[in-house]
Amino acid sequence: MATSRTLNEFFQPAKRLKSVAASEALMSKPLIPSASMSSPANKGGDCGGVDSSITAEQKRRADFNKALAVARRNLRMCTEKVSKSRSEGENYVKLEELLVENTWLDLLPGELKKPYARNLCQFVEREMQGSVKIYPPQFLIFNALNSTPFSRVKVVIIGQDPYHGPGQAMGLSFSVPEGVKIPSSLVNIFKEIHKDVGCSIPSHGNLERWAVQGVLLLNTVLTVRHHQPNSHAKKGWETFTDAIIQTISQKKTGLVFLLWGNFAQQKAKLIDESKHHILKSAHPSGLSANRGFFGCRHFSKTNEILERMGSLPIDWGL
């Protein structure tokens, strides 16, 4: 699939290889239409200036498009690294080279150089060279961080580990690429959103729009073996993602953390509740959604909190 024409104005096309074909599908969705974004006509006032007033919706669209361009640039950088390594006969890219968003690199200087992280990197790199497929694809391992710069984070949704079926994992918690069957947990999330804020239930499960708006979709473990859930747990990822949660808790104020299920709620100890808002409920899986996820109204509550603090609410529609 070809990339959006709008994106081609920002970037040179990446080298097309089968190994990174999935990235083209992720980058094929066009930007939000930005009608009436051109400058208004001169009003001919005393200063001979231009009326620069634009609507709040136009500002929102411009902000979204700028943020999406950054996310797509980071994705392209990762796919190009993978393309280059394949062309040179390598089976993998060093893990630390796939985190390319500078705001996170600045926030966590040297984190991936620590002894635990070196062991983690070596483990994941060995797994990539093994006979069992590893998800998500290499260029999407840090997709949550590369899609949502630290400076834009407003909401954090914590998941466990990536989906372990073919084509499902895309490096964003709960999210699947367009064209992939929507998992039951995400179906239940959409049902709650529909009931809570009235958004129509989408036909796909790609949550990139949330990530670009400032929703950090962070799994606590970032890789997994094919059809082996939790196979990369307790290898070092938890230490890395705990550092992310703890650091953003310290460095930012007024974030909304959505902790669904017992596993996510264990992360509350890393969050300063005097500075942030924590919303807890049952997990949205089919086994537990009826035990407190349905009816939690976390999506309207999140927007109420954001608006109270003077931040733009999240558009939960896809």
Side-chain angles (χ1 to χ4, degrees), residues 276-316:
H276 303 286
H277 306 268
I278 297 178
L279 301 180
K280 299 179 181 179
S281 79
H283 194 274
S285 72
L287 296 175
S288 58
N290 285 309
R291 301 175 190 167
F293 179 77
F294 288 139
C296 70
R297 300 187 61 246
H298 278 186
F299 306 96
S300 62
K301 289 178 180 178
T302 294
N303 281 348
E304 287 167 6
I305 292 168
L306 293 176
E307 290 180 303
R308 202 161 60 232
M309 295 187 299
S311 295
L312 284 174
I314 303 300
D315 178 2
W316 297 109

Side-chain angles (χ1 to χ4, degrees), residues 5-6 24 28 37 44 51 61 126 186 258 264 272 306:
R5 290 184 179 180
T6 307
E24 297 181 357
S28 64
M37 289 298 292
D51 181 0
R61 287 177 173 177
R126 285 197 304 271
L186 188 52
L258 305 184
D272 185 345
L306 293 176

Side-chain angles (χ1 to χ4, degrees), residues 7 56 91 101 108 145 208 224 234 240 278 310:
L7 284 174
N91 292 328
E101 172 50 47
L108 300 163
L145 302 177
E208 180 188 33
V224 70
K234 300 181 180 179
F240 177 72
I278 297 178

Side-chain angles (χ1 to χ4, degrees), residues 214-225:
V215 182
L216 180 62
L217 297 165
L218 183 67
N219 281 320
T220 57
V221 174
L222 301 188
T223 53
V224 70
R225 282 185 172 188

Side-chain angles (χ1 to χ4, degrees), residues 110-124:
E111 188 68 29
L112 288 172
K113 301 293 186 183
K114 292 181 178 179
Y116 88 86
R118 288 187 178 277
N119 291 335
L120 168 65
C121 291
Q122 291 171 3
F123 167 76
V124 174

